[in-house]
Amino acid sequence: MKSSLARRLILLGSALALTLGTACSSGGSGGSGTAAKGATLKVVTPTEPVTMNPVHSVISDARVWGAIMDPLVDVDESGAPLDTGLITSWKQKSLTSWELTVREGVKFSNGEPFDASAVVFSIEQNRADKAARLASYLSVVKKVTAVDAKTVLVTTNEPYNALPQLLSVIYAHPPKYYKEQTAEGYGKKPVGTGGFTLESYAPGREVVVAKNADYWRGEPKVGKIVFTWAPDPASRMSLLQTGAADIAIDVPVEQLPALKADPKLVAETKTSTSEMAVFFETGKKPFDDPDLRRAAAMAIDRKALVTSLFRTEGAEPQPHLIGQLMSALPEHDDAIEYNPQGAKKLLDGRSPKITFSYTVGRYPQDAKVGEAVAGMLEKAGFKVKRNPLDVAKFFELRPIGAFEAYMYQISPVFLQPDVYVHGFLTSNSITKHCVDPKLDTLSAEALKAPTQKKSEEVYADLEHYALHEKVCNVPLYDVVGIYGVSKKVSGFEAPRDLLPHWPDVAVKG
């Protein structure tokens, strides 16, 4: 398995192994016939990547640039690290130091060696770059050094048993090339150790990747992949039905019956680890008032969203933020139940003016969900100004605190509660929307806990405080990934983390 293979395969579920001859035709995607290694696979996604530099990119864009890149560590389906990736072993030498062993013989597609210095560089980019999407997670790292060509020493500021899992979402970058291109240039012309190399990128039109015949995990099953994008879900479905696309990502749930009825197509679905949630800026008016946050939470009917907009097939109601990342759900129920009358009572005759921001065309049904949530808030008594934004504008404004309340889809970059705690609930988090010393204290306590059981008990208390008492967020639902796949395609399986593993996918020529 490949680092992304293990990570994705894992979070996704096992991908099918293909032979070079007859493609298998059992269930799901894959029909009879010969898969051509030189064939071109056509994939249509909802949106163009904001950047193809993993340091700055949102993880959903890895559906495109992930074909070029490998993360440092493989993990299995439960999130436990494996020895099959670019880093083959790790040893905790003390409570705050780790020794990593680097796989030998791997090169980046431009010929640069993948060695300990490349591991150090890749970690440092995610740690030192202020715009890095993983900077808040990497704040736990104090120092990273190359001992020799195949050994790396990582020192942390505090005990952090999730380090190998964290490394599973840091992608390998070639130091010399990255510096030459700069972070911005690298986002347009990335180079990695992955199964494909960038052939061309026409902004606004397409990304074309060609197979890396020297891929260290084995030669990919197709010659090229052409990624295009169509924000309108009906357009993605049309491209699939006419043969202009072999795979359509994020097919709207209302198209499932037509997809299943088409003899040339297959529907692949899987409940993902991605979750839609509402965020409140607790340090900014008007949501610095805890009663307003609680009233807003009571006004939102997550079950109605799933039933009306996803027909129960495209999403599953989710009351937890970090609970689903534990070995067992917390004993206490953190959900603030739908209670519009209770919301009106908390508002006590007030009609607070709020702006509610959300993406359009980025995630399944996001515009409709944003409108529905705004309507629910209005029904409870809020005066809502809707602020629908394209994804680029949304992610430009969110980091600078431009929103009061907003909604977008979050994905755990690795399966461990700290991923959401450090990502969204501590003072140095990505969002910094709910800064509270108690959350920082509980986070540190969980990371220092001597056993997983004790750690999860602390995380359960943290979630209860964040969702029930502080009301930082309102979890809405887990997304069910829906993919339309031509029967010409084999080896594709709906991934749990929404990131397909492209080297295993074949298409009949």
Side-chain angles (χ1 to χ4, degrees):
M1 293 198 318
K2 118 175 206 205
S3 71
S4 51
L5 172 66
R7 179 178 92 83
R8 296 174 194 164
L9 274 186
I10 301 171
L11 294 175
L12 321 183
S14 301
L16 299 172
L18 299 177
T19 62
L20 297 180
T22 303
C24 83
S25 59
S26 59
S29 58
S32 61
T34 302
K37 291 176 66 175
T40 297
L41 179 71
K42 297 167 291 186
V43 180
V44 58
T45 71
T47 55
E48 179 176 2
V50 175
T51 174
M52 289 193 287
N53 182 349
V55 175
H56 296 159
S57 177
V58 292
I59 194 63
S60 55
D61 281 344
R63 292 181 291 197
V64 176
W65 55 254
I68 301 168
M69 309 285 182
D70 285 321
L72 298 179
V73 171
D74 284 355
V75 292
D76 68 13
E77 192 172 47
S78 70
L82 298 171
D83 62 3
T84 53
L86 293 174
I87 291 176
T88 59
S89 67
W90 42 89
K91 179 181 179 182
Q92 193 167 13
K93 297 175 68 67
S94 71
L95 288 176
T96 57
S97 66
W98 291 79
E99 184 179 270
L100 313 176
T101 302
V102 180
R103 181 176 296 279
E104 297 182 88
V106 177
K107 290 185 177 182
F108 292 96
S109 61
N110 69 342
E112 279 191 58
F114 172 78
D115 55 16
S117 63
V119 172
V120 171
F121 180 81
S122 300
I123 294 173
E124 285 290 357
Q125 293 311 300
N126 286 277
R127 173 173 173 257
D129 190 329
K130 293 181 180 179
R133 67 181 177 87
L134 295 175
S136 64
Y137 300 112
L138 269 296
S139 64
V140 71
V141 175
K142 181 178 182 180
K143 188 178 181 181
V144 54
T145 56
V147 178
D148 53 42
K150 61 179 244 181
T151 309
V152 174
L153 184 66
V154 179
T155 304
T156 59
N157 293 306
E158 57 193 28
Y160 191 76
N161 291 333
L163 184 69
Q165 290 93 328
L166 174 56
L167 296 179
S168 74
V169 292
I170 294 176
Y171 288 77
H173 307 302
K176 181 180 178 181
Y177 179 79
Y178 192 101
K179 292 175 184 177
E180 290 173 349
Q181 294 293 317
T182 73
E184 182 180 358
Y186 186 79
K188 299 174 183 176
K189 297 180 179 179
V191 165
T193 63
F196 296 85
T197 62
L198 181 67
E199 179 174 291
S200 64
Y201 174 26
R205 190 160 60 91
E206 67 179 22
V207 170
V208 181
V209 298
K211 74 175 177 181
N212 178 2
D214 297 323
Y215 184 38
W216 63 277
R217 291 188 189 271
E219 189 175 350
K221 309 298 183 184
V222 295
K224 292 183 181 182
I225 305 176
V226 177
F227 294 98
T228 56
W229 34 89
D232 176 34
S235 296
R236 294 197 296 278
M237 185 64 177
S238 177
L239 290 169
L240 182 68
Q241 290 172 319
T242 60
D246 300 311
I247 297 176
I249 292 177
D250 290 348
V251 172
V253 68
E254 58 266 25
Q255 294 282 358
L256 261 181
L259 185 58
K260 293 176 179 178
D262 193 318
K264 303 186 300 299
L265 305 176
V266 174
E268 294 281 358
T269 67
K270 184 173 289 185
T271 301
S272 74
T273 55
S274 294
E275 179 179 354
M276 188 65 85
V278 171
F279 294 72
F280 299 120
E281 289 287 346
T282 62
K284 186 176 182 179
K285 291 185 179 299
F287 286 108
D288 57 344
D289 183 341
D291 282 344
L292 291 192
R293 300 197 298 271
R294 184 171 295 276
M298 287 181 172
I300 299 173
D301 187 348
R302 59 173 64 88
K303 291 181 180 178
L305 293 174
V306 168
T307 301
S308 62
L309 297 180
F310 293 94
R311 303 185 182 187
T312 71
E313 292 187 279
E316 294 184 0
Q318 177 57 263
H320 293 282
L321 189 68
I322 63 175
Q324 73 272 30
L325 302 182
M326 301 183 200
S327 59
L329 287 174
E331 291 184 5
H332 47 246
D333 186 358
D334 291 303
I336 294 179
E337 296 295 336
Y338 173 57
N339 183 357
Q341 295 305 316
K344 289 181 179 180
K345 185 176 180 181
L346 278 174
L347 292 180
D348 193 25
R350 295 174 292 172
S351 298
K353 294 181 180 180
I354 65 170
T355 299
F356 183 59
S357 305
Y358 49 92
T359 60
V360 173
R362 177 65 176 188
Y363 310 110
Q365 306 282 46
D366 54 0
K368 292 182 180 179
V369 174
E371 173 61 34
V373 170
M376 292 173 181
L377 294 172
E378 286 178 330
K379 186 177 179 180
F382 290 92
K383 290 184 177 179
V384 183
K385 178 183 178 181
R386 289 141 173 88
N387 187 31
L389 296 166
D390 68 80
V391 63
K393 193 65 176 179
F394 182 92
F395 285 110
E396 174 189 330
L397 295 174
R398 191 207 65 191
I400 62 174
F403 302 145
E404 300 167 4
Y406 57 96
M407 180 193 79
Y408 79 110
Q409 186 173 300
I410 56 177
S411 300
V413 289
F414 55 91
L415 294 182
Q416 207 272 353
D418 182 66
V419 72
Y420 275 163
V421 174
H422 264 84
F424 305 113
L425 294 174
T426 61
S427 58
N428 64 345
S429 66
I430 296 170
T431 53
K432 298 182 177 65
H433 69 288
C434 193
V435 175
D436 187 309
K438 183 172 180 178
L439 293 172
D440 290 345
T441 299
L442 289 171
S443 173
E445 184 181 339
L447 290 171
K448 293 175 183 177
T451 65
Q452 180 179 347
K453 182 176 184 295
K454 179 59 179 175
S455 178
E456 290 191 353
E457 288 174 356
V458 178
Y459 280 126
D461 290 341
L462 188 155
E463 179 172 85
H464 178 78
Y465 179 72
L467 299 187
H468 186 76
E469 297 182 36
K470 185 79 174 181
V471 197
C472 301
N473 299 72
V474 182
L476 300 180
Y477 52 82
D478 285 338
V479 176
V480 174
I482 302 176
Y483 304 80
V485 184
S486 167
K487 286 189 176 178
K488 292 166 53 181
V489 172
S490 55
F492 180 89
E493 184 173 300
R496 188 180 172 210
D497 67 351
L498 301 181
L499 305 179
H501 181 252
W502 298 116
D504 280 353
V505 181
V507 63
K508 288 189 292 183

